[in-house]
Amino acid sequence: MSNEGTVIWKKGDGPMPEKVQHVVDAARGDLLLQTLHLPETVENTIRYNADKGAQSVNDYISHILVERLMPVS
């Protein structure tokens, strides 16, 4: 089995292709959810709601945090 992969985009090549950006956003969302150590049911709800709203997990969670913190400031 070969460990070599095909490079489809490198930093500095210009804008990231949409398909690549989707994969990167999904990976970032998964890393965020793993870092938060939430119950699986909560993770699934976040993923479902983000997908339903056509948002990334990061954007969905950011929106929730901004809504909650706006009244504080």
Side-chain angles (χ1 to χ4, degrees):
M1 177 178 225
S2 174
N3 288 336
E4 291 186 33
T6 303
V7 176
I8 55 176
W9 180 84
K10 289 190 284 186
K11 188 173 183 175
D13 283 352
M16 190 179 297
E18 195 172 316
K19 289 182 181 181
V20 176
Q21 186 65 50
H22 176 74
V23 172
V24 169
D25 288 344
R28 286 179 180 160
D30 283 346
L31 287 172
L32 175 59
L33 290 175
Q34 287 177 9
T35 302
L36 294 173
H37 303 288
L38 300 169
E40 187 176 348
T41 55
V42 174
E43 285 184 12
N44 291 338
T45 301
I46 289 171
R47 284 189 180 100
Y48 173 78
N49 288 339
D51 188 48
K52 185 175 159 185
Q55 297 175 301
S56 69
V57 169
N58 285 356
D59 289 341
Y60 180 75
I61 292 173
S62 294
H63 181 75
I64 291 171
L65 290 173
V66 168
E67 280 184 343
R68 300 290 186 224
L69 294 176
M70 286 300 266
V72 174
S73 49

